[in-house]
Amino acid sequence: MKRALPVTREENFPDWYQAVVDQADLAETSPVRGCMIIKPWGWGIWELVQAALDRRIKETGHENCYFPLFIPMSFIAQEASHVEGFAKEMAVVTHHRLKAVDGKLMVDPASELEEPLVVRPTSETIIGDAFRRWVASYRDLPILINQWANVVRWEMRTRMFLRTTEFLWQEGHTAHATREDAREETLKMLEVYRELAEDILAMPVVVGEKPENERFPGADSTFSIEAMMQDGKALQAGTSHYLGTNFAKAQNIRYQSATGELEYCHTTSWGVSTRLIGGVIMTHGDDDGLRLPPRIAPKQVVIVPMLRDKPEDAELLAYCEKLEAEICKLSAFGEPLRVKLDKKPIRSANKRWDWLRRGAPILLEVGPRDMASDHVTLIRRDKLRDGDKVISQGFSRSDFLAQAPALLAEIQANLFSEAKARLDANIRTDLKDFDVIAAFFGAASEDDDAKSGFKGWVRAPWARPTGAELEAVEARLKALKLTLRNVPMGQEAASGVCVFTGRPAIEEILIARAY
């Protein structure tokens, strides 16, 4: 049977990705360049990701709040490395009024703002200004807050969910009395992100610390979770930053210690965004469309009545409605099952493929014969085909109801196992020379590696070069469209010499092409 998408992953991975976004009805481009409209199915996924993460954020003692979209330019300018890191991405508001001239709207020159406003690229500076007011004594610490918000970064090359001018995220911000407390917070939230990625999204990740050149602007340390996509590229799926006292010094965030001395706070920030949906697509999708882990599927079970030439088959519809009500009483992953009975008056085969492209984990087809024998025909989205043949299984209605929660748990585990096996099998550890690594990856293509084939990652010895030496490393990698991802945590002491400097290695670092 022909594949459901117009292009396969092997033919052109970027085009396949865009086809999945379109055919799964996740999002569409907006009239504003680089922005997207998230459609109900895509928004349903984000709501479930958001709910799972929000619960974990609150369980770790954080409270939600909200800060303004607009940030005074002077706030951004207070931290030099921060403004340098974001300067090219900032959208700036300079006027506050329009006027009509000869029937056309234009900016009113008389409405120029006294101080330009930056549209939020991230909120460290404006939240730091609040921390300055909120903190007086060590008794006020720690401050643990989070906000769910939209962010604007003026991107040159955009791709829905992965890199858009406006995107949605959460950003946590905390202030602490000591370096130790702040670093503990940073790593605690990194673990929350790992758990979200692996347990909820079924997306295995490598947890580690970013090298100096990949740190968040103004941070002392940046940690990330890195996921491998099906084309072998890396996706930075979440970051957690220990900011040291850099922002505290820039914004005078100080507290009086127990001994009466004024000390600067140690601050952190951490966030994940709607790019996680892009990661789910590229981790789990196949040539028929999206495959959703059940924990983030807006509908986990979809019932399709096989109405054939009897669109008003009241008896069959009544049977399916009863089945829907029975499934709604079941629970999986500690929550009621999410079920949909599709009564749309279109061909049953079209409805089937509509839901399979969207990635619904379980599809139940129920026809007159199924009803007569009190059975259902089940299609699992994670195991859709045997070659070109769609796999379906017959269950008695009672057996399906008894097994549905376990089937969903099995699908969740199966998707994770597939992705984990791919990750583990495609990190090369035997390439110890930069020229060999360069040959392995090959020359960077002009079409964003659309047809360059799967490469995977390299884990190589690393001596932590800094300054001009690190800039030279970055330039060599950039010529090949390669980046340093992170230094995996929990590794044993490295042996051999650094592939860039020839000095004794301190640790190993991941090298990959990335989104």
Side-chain angles (χ1 to χ4, degrees), residues 374-488:
D374 203 20
H375 275 66
V376 296
T377 300
L378 181 147
I379 299 174
R380 279 177 55 158
R381 186 61 185 89
D382 65 320
K383 296 182 177 181
L384 179 60
R385 292 179 182 265
D386 180 4
D388 287 335
K389 181 183 178 183
V390 172
I391 302 170
S392 61
Q393 301 169 267
F395 283 81
S396 70
R397 181 179 54 82
S398 59
D399 282 350
F400 171 74
L401 293 172
Q403 297 180 42
L407 282 170
L408 289 168
E410 184 181 322
I411 292 169
Q412 181 84 21
N414 184 51
L415 289 174
F416 178 80
S417 295
E418 276 187 27
K420 186 68 165 66
R422 181 169 57 246
L423 173 69
D424 291 344
N426 290 287
I427 299 179
R428 295 288 298 270
T429 59
D430 58 331
L431 308 182
K432 307 293 186 181
D433 177 86
F434 181 77
D435 290 338
V436 175
I437 292 171
F440 167 73
F441 282 106
S445 69
E446 293 299 320
D447 60 355
D448 197 26
D449 293 340
K451 301 177 182 177
S452 63
F454 185 94
K455 297 295 182 184
W457 304 350
V458 169
R459 181 166 164 160
W462 170 251
R464 294 187 200 169
T466 60
E469 193 175 41
L470 180 56
E471 290 177 6
V473 169
E474 194 172 15
R476 293 171 73 185
L477 291 170
K478 187 176 181 181
L480 295 166
K481 288 191 175 179
L482 294 172
T483 57
L484 300 170
R485 304 315 304 162
N486 68 22
V487 174

Side-chain angles (χ1 to χ4, degrees), residues 105-217:
L105 280 178
M106 61 175 288
V107 173
D108 184 350
S111 69
E112 185 173 2
L113 297 174
E114 184 175 334
E115 179 179 3
L117 300 174
V118 174
V119 182
R120 175 174 51 219
T122 181
S123 298
E124 278 74 15
T125 58
I126 195 166
I127 290 178
D129 179 69
F131 282 1
R132 175 181 58 80
R133 297 190 302 275
W134 297 353
V135 175
S137 160
Y138 70 93
R139 297 181 182 89
D140 300 320
L141 299 172
I143 296 178
L144 308 173
I145 64 168
N146 174 68
Q147 76 166 341
W148 293 93
N150 61 338
V151 170
V152 171
R153 295 180 185 174
W154 214 258
E155 299 282 358
M156 298 303 295
R157 293 186 65 186
T158 60
R159 188 176 298 174
M160 281 192 283
F161 292 110
L162 295 177
R163 195 174 293 277
T164 49
T165 300
E166 179 193 20
F167 57 92
L168 306 178
W169 76 351
Q170 58 73 214
E171 50 178 321
H173 298 268
T174 68
H176 305 262
T178 67
R179 177 182 186 275
E180 291 72 25
D181 286 350
R183 283 185 63 87
E184 180 182 349
E185 167 77 11
T186 305
L187 296 176
K188 177 195 298 179
M189 298 317 298
L190 186 70
E191 171 59 18
V192 168
Y193 290 158
R194 183 208 62 77
E195 182 181 290
L196 174 75
E198 297 196 338
D199 294 354
I200 306 300
L201 310 183
M203 183 168 68
V205 294
V206 176
V207 179
E209 183 174 358
K210 288 285 194 182
E212 179 184 315
N213 65 312
E214 295 287 343
R215 286 177 191 156
F216 178 76

Side-chain angles (χ1 to χ4, degrees), residues 221-253:
S221 306
T222 288
F223 300 85
S224 71
I225 55 172
E226 304 284 336
M228 182 182 288
M229 304 295 96
Q230 288 185 66
D231 61 350
K233 287 186 179 181
L235 181 78
Q236 181 178 285
T239 50
S240 187
H241 317 286
Y242 166 57
L243 304 176
T245 58
N246 298 333
F247 285 87
K249 289 176 179 176
Q251 296 175 289
N252 199 30
I253 311 169

Side-chain angles (χ1 to χ4, degrees), residues 63-85:
E63 296 180 296
N64 284 340
C65 61
Y66 187 77
F67 282 79
L69 176 66
F70 301 114
I71 301 173
M73 181 86 79
S74 58
F75 282 28
I76 303 287
Q78 286 173 347
E79 216 293 317
S81 61
H82 194 66
V83 68
E84 182 181 352

Side-chain angles (χ1 to χ4, degrees), residues 90-110:
M90 291 184 190
V92 183
V93 177
T94 57
H95 293 73
H96 66 81
R97 187 171 59 235
L98 300 175
K99 70 176 184 178
V101 178
D102 298 329
K104 294 182 179 180
L105 280 178
M106 61 175 288
V107 173
D108 184 350

Side-chain angles (χ1 to χ4, degrees), residues 41 44-45 48 292-300 338 359-361:
W41 190 250
I45 296 169
L48 290 163
L292 282 175
R295 297 194 75 160
I296 58 166
K299 302 299 178 187
Q300 296 162 319
R338 298 182 291 275

